[in-house]
Amino acid sequence: MAFPQPRLAPAELPRHRARSIECGQGAVRAARFNADGNYCVTGGSDKTLKLWNPYKGTLLRSYLGHGYEVLDAAGSFDNSQLCSGSADKTVALWDVATGQAVRKFRGHAGKVNSVQFNEEATVIVSGSIDSSVRCWDCRSRRPEPVQVLDEAKDGVSSVKVSDHEILAGSVDGRVRRYDLRAGELYSDYVGSPVTCVCFTKDGQCVLVASLASPLRLLDKDTGEMLGEYRGHRSSACRLDCVLSERDAHVGCASEDGAVYLWDLVEGSLALRLPVGQGAVQALAFHPRQPVLLAATGGTLQLWDTGDAAGDTTGDAAP
């Protein structure tokens, strides 16, 4: 006799401002959880990278070495390394424990907007305003990239990496997906400058944020538009978009100082989080829990469901 599978509880949303951290980095340009979601890293306009315990508001380490503001950062699967991209045109590889820069990769002709490790953290993929995506071998001493993907006609604003694919969003209005196994390039035109792209957890769809346009969910293989999400404001800034830990909701930062979260299937607005006065510059969803990071100005905020144990500060959002 086969027993029915237990029904999953409805997906929860992070409605409660659990902590607010003054990062002391000027404007926070990037905020990213590490692989297990226990820590996060922020990149600032003061050229620094900082590692935090966001639940306690504790600064664990600062990483110094970039010449201009840090625009993006990412952690490796084993949490031993960080990578960062900067307006100084370099990509840096950092040792988390020592705080030292292990390598500096130079080759981009403009600021580096986005960086990601591959699954094994052997390669860093970077996207730049110079219209290229470059792949850097972390183990080799070679100074040049192992691969350059230069099909974009304008700056590359966002890159994401899966086990065999690179996803790149460009200011030329196209989302390009490079299938590294098949050696194929797939391109979808969305009509306005792309600011952020990400894969769904199941790898079947792509979420795309672009200027003055709704958030779009595309079928990865066919390019068919599966959903549109409206309400946020995106007219001038490069804003992050995210998927919740169970792909139940999609979210986007907004220039009106809020974070908008929609039901992925229905397309209805599920929640508007009032983060601050200015644009929300960075956004990240916890890999396994309904917990959200949002940054505005020099402040990083942690949002949760309000029922987690532990010390929290701030008030519940209305």
Side-chain angles (χ1 to χ4, degrees):
M1 175 180 175
F3 290 95
Q5 292 292 323
R7 295 181 63 180
L8 290 173
E12 292 187 276
L13 285 169
R15 302 172 181 271
H16 172 259
R17 185 187 288 112
R19 190 166 293 279
S20 186
I21 304 168
E22 293 301 324
C23 294
Q25 291 177 279
V28 177
R29 298 300 187 199
R32 306 286 181 251
F33 277 111
N34 70 337
D36 53 21
N38 292 331
Y39 304 100
C40 73
V41 61
T42 56
S45 62
D46 71 342
K47 315 174 191 177
T48 67
L49 199 63
K50 291 186 177 182
L51 182 68
W52 302 88
N53 179 330
Y55 308 98
K56 295 182 178 180
T58 307
L59 175 63
L60 303 175
R61 191 173 289 277
S62 296
Y63 303 84
L64 310 174
H66 278 299
Y68 289 95
E69 59 183 358
V70 179
L71 299 175
D72 197 16
S76 61
F77 73 97
D78 60 359
N79 300 321
S80 68
Q81 295 180 310
L82 296 171
C83 64
S84 58
S86 168
D88 66 6
K89 308 178 187 179
T90 68
V91 175
L93 175 65
W94 306 87
D95 183 277
V96 168
T98 67
Q100 298 301 308
V102 180
R103 297 283 305 279
K104 277 279 190 75
F105 300 102
R106 296 175 173 85
H108 279 298
K111 65 181 182 180
V112 180
N113 287 321
S114 186
V115 290
Q116 287 273 288
F117 281 108
N118 68 339
E119 278 196 326
E120 298 81 21
T122 55
V123 173
I124 299 171
V125 178
S126 59
S128 167
I129 199 173
D130 69 4
S131 307
S132 74
V133 175
R134 295 175 187 247
C135 305
W136 311 91
D137 190 336
C138 299
R139 300 168 298 178
S140 168
R141 304 309 299 178
R142 292 172 52 187
E144 65 273 5
V146 293
Q147 192 167 13
V148 178
L149 308 171
D150 56 3
E151 286 76 16
K153 306 303 181 192
D154 208 329
V156 176
S157 56
S158 178
V159 293
K160 292 294 187 293
V161 183
S162 71
D163 58 346
H164 67 284
E165 294 173 314
I166 296 174
L167 188 67
S170 171
V171 180
D172 65 11
R174 289 191 175 273
V175 178
R176 293 175 174 84
R177 180 170 57 89
Y178 298 88
D179 188 321
L180 304 178
R181 289 177 183 166
E184 297 286 345
L185 167 62
Y186 304 92
S187 178
D188 293 303
Y189 184 62
V190 298
S192 57
V194 176
T195 62
C196 188
V197 293
C198 51
F199 290 108
T200 52
K201 301 290 188 298
D202 62 10
Q204 300 301 306
C205 305
V206 171
L207 186 64
V208 183
S210 54
L211 290 182
S213 298
L215 201 61
R216 296 181 177 95
L217 186 70
L218 307 179
D219 183 281
K220 189 185 77 173
D221 295 323
T222 67
E224 178 188 358
M225 189 167 70
L226 304 176
E228 275 191 333
Y229 311 94
R230 300 175 181 271
H232 65 298
R233 196 166 80 216
S234 173
S235 59
C237 299
R238 182 170 66 90
L239 302 175
D240 286 336
C241 61
V242 294
L243 285 132
S244 65
E245 82 284 3
R246 281 164 45 183
D247 278 351
H249 296 92
V250 302
C252 192
S254 177
E255 292 170 8
D256 64 3
V259 173
Y260 289 75
L261 294 163
W262 297 267
D263 184 282
L264 180 139
V265 175
E266 296 178 2
S268 56
L269 182 64
L271 187 63
R272 179 187 182 273
L273 296 177
V275 175
Q277 299 299 315
V280 178
Q281 295 137 206
L283 195 61
F285 220 102
H286 191 286
R288 292 190 295 273
Q289 297 176 15
V291 176
L292 187 73
L293 289 175
T296 179
T299 304
L300 178 68
Q301 295 182 14
L302 179 78
W303 292 76
D304 62 21
T305 58
D307 56 7
D311 177 40
T312 59
T313 59
D315 301 315

